[in-house]
Amino acid sequence: MKSITVKQLQKRFNLEILAGEEHMDREITRPRAHRPGLEFVGYFDFFPMNRVQVLGRKEINYLHKQTEEERNLHIGNVVKYHPPCFIVTANQEGLKYLMIYCQQEGIPLLRTGDTTTEFLGKLDAYLTQALAPEIAVHGVCVNVSGIGVLLRGKSGIGKSETAHTLIRRGHRLVADDIVVMKKLSSQTILGTHNETTREFLALRSIGLINVVRLYGRKAFQDETRIVLDIELSPWQDKALNNDLELEPKTTEYMGVRIPHIEIQLQPGRDVAGMIEAAANSWYLKQQGYSAAEEFMKRIEGEMK
């Protein structure tokens, strides 16, 4: 199971440490935060104790209004489950009693100036991506007109060279050689690099190039949602047909099915142009348009 430490979270959002600094190595393994409002009034039937606990104005104002005895009871009932950490939003103050409990139980207490809604949005997005299941795939990932494409094929088939042509046409590199694929949901795969290869593209006979240094910031982006799986393969006569509408094929990654297309290579064939066409065609299909259907309607109209 993937995890990050509270220290990593604190650095990512520049959080102020109020208590439990010596316990910042505690692990976070769940991707969504929780606001323990119901738990402060004694309802624990569905308490996600292993999630980051966020205390907004409602929770803190409620605690402020309690008697010392009531407050000690409510806080004690929550901290005894030892969640990874507590984060107080909106720079709220008067937290001495909370600091004492967290220090005693070894739970980091952090604070941010962001509002609760703003911070929860950023926190959940970060945790979802940081803790997402992932695999590494040999290939190239590019963003073609806003559409994430995974290029696969045998070593030396021309994946990186094709990516270079796409970059020259104004599209963006995401990852070369090793593509890290993260499952964000049952329908979403995010493609990114492994940091080591960030911005680098390996071209045979040329060597490594830094696409940002050569072509500017617009030539690279850190991540993209992958919606097309394109396999580059050697040309085989009569292996591919020319039907009006090919039967859809998919490739499965971590339980997520992605549309699959095979493009065979041949000298003089504009592979980069075909990838652009495939990406734009996928986009039009998402809008409900089918070129084959329009063509058949025209044929039917002429026959009538």
Side-chain angles (χ1 to χ4, degrees):
M1 181 180 292
K2 292 188 65 178
S3 67
I4 63 171
T5 64
V6 176
K7 184 65 177 178
Q8 288 175 286
L9 185 67
Q10 183 264 329
K11 287 185 175 181
R12 173 65 177 77
F13 293 101
N14 194 28
L15 302 173
E16 180 185 0
I17 303 174
L18 301 179
E21 186 171 5
E22 61 273 27
H23 301 285
M24 297 292 286
D25 59 346
R26 300 194 69 188
E27 292 187 341
I28 301 169
T29 59
R30 298 295 297 275
R32 294 187 63 188
H34 175 69
R35 296 181 68 176
L38 289 175
E39 288 73 26
F40 281 146
V41 297
Y43 186 78
F44 286 89
D45 286 5
F46 302 99
F47 180 40
M49 63 190 74
N50 49 2
R51 292 183 179 176
V52 174
Q53 305 296 312
V54 175
L55 306 177
R57 290 189 182 277
K58 290 182 180 179
E59 291 81 14
I60 296 300
N61 286 340
Y62 173 78
L63 292 175
H64 283 347
K65 292 178 181 179
Q66 304 301 298
T67 65
E68 184 176 354
E69 182 179 355
E70 290 172 332
R71 192 162 55 214
N72 290 341
L73 175 64
H74 295 155
I75 296 174
N77 285 338
V78 174
V79 298
K80 70 180 181 182
Y81 289 99
H82 289 89
C85 66
F86 288 98
I87 301 177
V88 177
T89 61
N91 276 335
Q92 296 177 86
E93 299 181 346
L95 306 173
K96 187 175 181 180
Y97 57 88
L98 192 57
M99 294 167 61
I100 293 173
Y101 264 98
C102 288
Q103 194 66 43
Q104 289 176 346
E105 297 294 331
I107 303 173
L109 175 63
L110 311 170
R111 183 164 60 185
T112 176
D114 292 343
T115 65
T116 306
T117 302
E118 179 185 6
F119 182 69
L120 277 174
K122 294 191 296 186
L123 177 61
D124 283 347
Y126 169 72
L127 291 177
T128 297
Q129 184 170 334
L131 300 176
E134 66 179 48
I135 58 174
V137 176
H138 175 66
V140 178
C141 184
V142 289
N143 183 281
V144 179
S145 300
I147 296 166
V149 178
L150 175 66
L151 299 180
R152 295 187 298 110
K154 294 182 179 179
S155 180
I157 195 71
K159 300 182 295 296
S160 298
E161 289 79 2
T162 300
H164 181 255
T165 302
L166 288 167
I167 293 168
R168 292 292 305 273
R169 294 185 180 186
H171 306 297
R172 296 177 175 180
L173 174 71
V174 176
D176 181 40
D177 190 34
I178 298 175
V179 180
V180 178
M181 303 179 70
K182 298 186 176 186
K183 180 181 178 180
L184 300 188
S185 72
S186 60
Q187 297 181 327
T188 305
I189 292 288
L190 188 75
T192 185
H193 49 81
N194 67 350
E195 291 296 338
T196 303
T197 60
R198 187 177 190 272
E199 300 177 358
F200 286 119
L201 185 67
L203 299 175
R204 291 177 182 269
S205 303
I206 303 297
L208 279 177
I209 65 170
N210 186 309
V211 298
V212 173
R213 294 295 182 92
L214 280 181
Y215 303 115
R217 187 71 255 165
K218 65 180 182 180
F220 174 82
Q221 70 181 59
D222 272 308
E223 58 193 33
T224 188
R225 180 189 175 192
I226 297 177
V227 299
L228 276 180
D229 175 73
I230 296 181
E231 180 181 3
L232 304 183
S233 61
W235 180 267
Q236 297 179 34
D237 289 337
K238 300 180 181 180
L240 297 177
N241 51 34
N242 198 28
D243 294 340
L244 294 180
E245 192 76 67
L246 297 175
E247 182 179 348
K249 296 181 179 180
T250 61
T251 305
E252 185 175 310
Y253 296 100
M254 295 179 287
V256 180
R257 291 195 171 277
I258 297 176
H260 169 81
I261 297 173
E262 179 185 1
I263 296 179
Q264 293 190 359
L265 307 184
Q266 190 179 46
R269 204 172 194 208
D270 183 9
V271 179
M274 295 189 69
I275 292 173
E276 289 176 319
N280 290 327
S281 178
W282 175 89
Y283 175 79
L284 289 175
K285 287 180 179 178
Q286 305 312 299
Q287 309 305 308
Y289 173 79
S290 170
E293 288 181 7
E294 182 180 356
F295 180 76
M296 291 306 299
K297 287 179 181 179
R298 291 184 184 180
I299 297 295
E300 292 173 1
E302 292 179 0
M303 292 178 64
K304 291 179 179 179

